[in-house]
Amino acid sequence: MSRWLRALVIVLLAASCGGGGSGRSPNNLEDACAILKERPHYTRAFRAAERKWGVPVHVQMATIYQESKFKSDARTPFRYSLGVIPYGRQSSAFGYSQALDGTWNEYLESTGTRRARRDNIRDATDFMGWYMAETARSLGISMRDARNQYLAYHEGRGGFRRGTYNNKAWLLRVADEVGNRAGVYEVQLANCRAAR
């Protein structure tokens, strides 16, 4: 095998490893059980974050649904100059959790994790657990309160404290949707566990 072909095979193998995901969302995002059945490694990631940080699986799932629709390489849209010339993304948010660069770096520093990646479901759920646990500690928001956890996640804890979301009717609607989805996912997960 030629040196070039060998290098190509190594690159392709490396790209397919590591849990980063294909970028594609699961097929049925409306059914928590279907999501976990299609992607069993998600179950392990969600449960690990729940054990470590105390954030229920259904709250994690509802937040990831809203942030990235379970797309590992999700990014914010481009901004355009003159309506046609792209000049950068709306923010540095990336991956399943749509963590911003600064918040992600704070997570890495705080947890001592150096190799974590935002496009890896286990790392993304650990980040969300870390963030929501600190939100619960500093703001007193229950880990089961998907709506208010989402508002603090979206606006940042300082923004939540200042009530910046109160001037954003669209965000309040989205937070309600996250809360409702978490409730639906919770019932679905209870039913699929009972069926086993």
Side-chain angles (χ1 to χ4, degrees):
M1 187 182 309
S2 75
R3 185 176 280 168
W4 183 86
L5 185 58
R6 193 172 313 143
L8 178 63
V9 168
I10 290 170
V11 167
L12 290 174
L13 282 173
S16 68
C17 296
S22 65
R24 285 186 330 102
S25 298
N27 291 320
N28 183 358
L29 297 179
E30 302 307 315
D31 184 340
C33 299
I35 292 169
L36 299 181
K37 185 175 182 183
E38 183 179 337
R39 309 270 171 95
H41 61 289
Y42 283 13
T43 304
R44 292 186 294 277
F46 289 129
R47 287 191 181 145
E50 183 177 43
R51 280 190 305 274
K52 183 174 180 181
W53 303 107
V55 180
V57 170
H58 62 277
V59 173
Q60 295 175 59
M61 290 182 75
T63 304
I64 286 181
Y65 172 92
Q66 182 56 47
E67 290 297 286
S68 66
K69 304 292 187 282
F70 293 90
K71 199 171 173 206
S72 65
D73 58 358
R75 293 182 185 274
T76 58
F78 280 106
R79 292 178 292 190
Y80 292 90
S81 176
L82 304 173
V84 293
I85 303 167
Y87 69 94
R89 298 205 178 262
Q90 292 175 0
S91 78
S92 63
F94 175 70
Y96 288 108
S97 62
Q98 289 294 281
L100 298 169
D101 289 351
T103 313
W104 185 258
N105 290 335
E106 183 184 336
Y107 159 74
L108 296 176
E109 183 74 26
S110 173
T111 60
T113 308
R114 289 284 163 228
R115 302 184 77 190
R117 296 186 351 241
R118 290 179 277 185
D119 64 348
N120 179 299
I121 190 67
R122 191 168 187 108
D123 296 335
T125 55
D126 192 66
F127 165 81
M128 284 177 42
W130 166 82
Y131 193 90
M132 291 180 176
E134 180 56 29
T135 297
R137 189 194 67 71
S138 63
L139 298 176
I141 300 172
S142 167
M143 299 283 215
R144 299 188 62 78
D145 183 351
R147 179 187 185 277
N148 285 310
Q149 278 283 354
Y150 181 75
L151 286 171
Y153 190 83
H154 188 276
E155 295 295 278
R157 293 184 205 101
F160 184 89
R161 211 177 268 116
R162 292 188 307 276
T164 56
Y165 53 88
N166 286 318
N167 298 325
K168 300 175 182 176
W170 65 269
L171 180 57
L172 292 170
R173 180 185 49 76
V174 168
D176 287 342
E177 290 172 6
V178 171
N180 292 337
R181 181 170 299 280
V184 169
Y185 279 173
E186 182 177 24
V187 170
Q188 290 172 343
L189 291 170
N191 289 336
C192 66
R193 283 187 198 118
R196 287 187 198 154

